[in-house]
Amino acid sequence: MILTTTNSIEGFKILEYKGIVSGISVNVQAMKVTFNMEKYYQAIAESMAVVKEQAFQQLQDHARKLNANAIVGIKVDIELTSSNYVAVSVTGTAVIVA
């Protein structure tokens, strides 16, 4: 599966647009608040990486259901809530390229 934030893929031609796909993920446990800021920021970074990967996996799964082999125009939205939850939403257009 080819993933890109651009609207085209160099060296490929978009043959068919299959539809808009998305993936959304939220960490299930709120991060513990600590007085050590280094540990706090490290925990945020680790949580974001895990949640982002889950969202991208959902995005690809939805594109595969449409028989797409690429996703173009991907937009990523990462939010850290006041309750220390990390939410990631990714959206793109599923396409068939050759």
Side-chain angles (χ1 to χ4, degrees):
M1 178 81 54
I2 300 171
L3 306 174
T4 181
T5 58
T6 61
N7 293 323
S8 61
I9 304 168
E10 189 173 333
F12 290 88
K13 181 178 179 176
I14 295 176
L15 301 178
E16 186 177 351
Y17 290 87
K18 302 300 280 183
I20 296 172
V21 290
S22 61
I24 301 168
S25 184
V26 178
N27 61 342
V28 291
Q29 291 183 331
M31 293 174 292
K32 295 178 182 173
V33 177
T34 177
F35 291 108
N36 184 328
M37 293 310 289
E38 185 177 334
K39 286 183 181 180
Y40 175 72
Y41 291 130
Q42 182 179 5
I44 290 173
E46 290 171 4
S47 185
M48 278 186 187
V50 169
V51 173
K52 185 176 83 168
E53 183 59 36
Q54 292 170 347
F56 269 96
Q57 190 60 51
Q58 281 184 12
L59 180 78
Q60 292 178 68
D61 291 345
H62 293 153
R64 283 188 191 98
K65 288 179 184 175
L66 297 174
N67 296 317
N69 63 356
I71 304 170
V72 297
I74 294 174
K75 304 287 187 246
V76 180
D77 181 40
I78 300 174
E79 181 180 343
L80 179 62
T81 68
S82 59
S83 302
N84 290 326
Y85 284 96
V86 176
V88 175
S89 171
V90 289
T91 304
T93 302
V95 296
I96 294 178
V97 295

